Structures are given as C-alpha cells and as structure tokens.
Amino acid sequence: MSHIPANLKYTANHEWVRREADGALTVGITDHAQESLGDLVFVELPDVGRTLAADEACTVVESVKAASDVYAPVAGTVVAQNEAVKNSPELINQNAYDAWLFKLQPADVGAFDALLSADAYAKEIG
C-alpha cells in the first residue's frame, strides 16, 4: 500500500501538492504513481516563467516501462524546477514526497483548497 502523507493535497492524476510559506505550491508525483511507473530514467520539467492552466500537461516522467504526463494541479506560473530530479530521476523512486518536480505561484490561492485530501486520494486509488 502506498504511503499518503496527510499534510499534502492530491489530484486524481496522482500529483501531490504542498503549500509553502510564501504561497507557492510545490508539486510532485505520488508514491502510488512512481510505483506504477517503475524505475524512472528521465524527467522533463516545465520552464521557469511558463504559465500553466489547471490540468495542463507540463512535465514528462519516463520509466523503463512507459512515459507519463504530469499535470498542473492548479493554474499558475512556474517559479522553480528541481534540477536534482532532472539529473537523477531515481530520486523520485527513492522518496516521491521529497523529490518535488516544480513549484508554481497559483493564479488563484483558493484553488489549493479544492484539491483532494489524503483520505479522498486514498479512496481514489482504491
């Protein structure tokens, strides 16, 4: 069974989201997602400054089995990308909740609250 931290929000597309003190949202893929994908070999991150629509495909994670899109959990502007996972995608397999992908400044701060709770995400993945 995948680990699902209660302090994060989630999407039906298997992204986790954490609100930072400055209001930015840190985004990564869930433990469930990395388990499904298997060993990750490549990560393509969105450029800093890119404006994303909610649910827009913006990142690609590739494993030995398949390539999978990662979607923006909310609309906003990319303010950081995690170079470490670009250079070492296996970090995501080692700890999906440490190895974030990108940070975004949400267009609507309230959008975060509409994301799934840990309990709701647990139900989503069965």
Side-chain angles (χ1 to χ4, degrees):
M1 182 66 195
S2 300
H3 173 60
I4 304 172
N7 63 324
L8 302 173
K9 292 283 198 171
Y10 299 88
T11 71
N13 294 321
H14 311 294
E15 289 91 24
W16 61 261
V17 186
R18 179 178 63 228
R19 190 182 344 225
E20 303 300 341
D22 65 1
L25 302 180
T26 299
V27 181
I29 64 170
T30 65
D31 199 38
H32 175 78
Q34 72 79 22
E35 275 177 13
S36 301
L37 286 164
D39 292 335
L40 295 175
V41 294
F42 176 77
V43 177
E44 182 185 318
L45 299 171
D47 293 328
V48 171
R50 179 173 166 189
T51 301
L52 300 171
D55 298 321
E56 180 180 341
C58 61
T59 298
V60 175
V61 289
E62 217 170 281
S63 72
V64 289
K65 292 197 282 191
S68 186
D69 286 328
V70 177
Y71 301 89
V74 300
T77 303
V78 178
V79 293
Q81 57 173 225
N82 188 349
E83 290 290 333
V85 299
K86 209 153 83 174
N87 299 328
S88 304
E90 68 276 5
L91 292 171
I92 298 167
N93 294 120
Q94 291 162 13
N95 188 336
Y97 298 109
D98 261 357
W100 57 277
L101 298 171
F102 61 93
K103 295 185 181 192
L104 66 103
Q105 200 58 54
D108 169 12
V109 291
F112 174 80
D113 298 320
L115 298 172
L116 299 173
S117 66
D119 287 344
Y121 179 67
K123 287 188 183 89
E124 188 80 27
I125 63 174

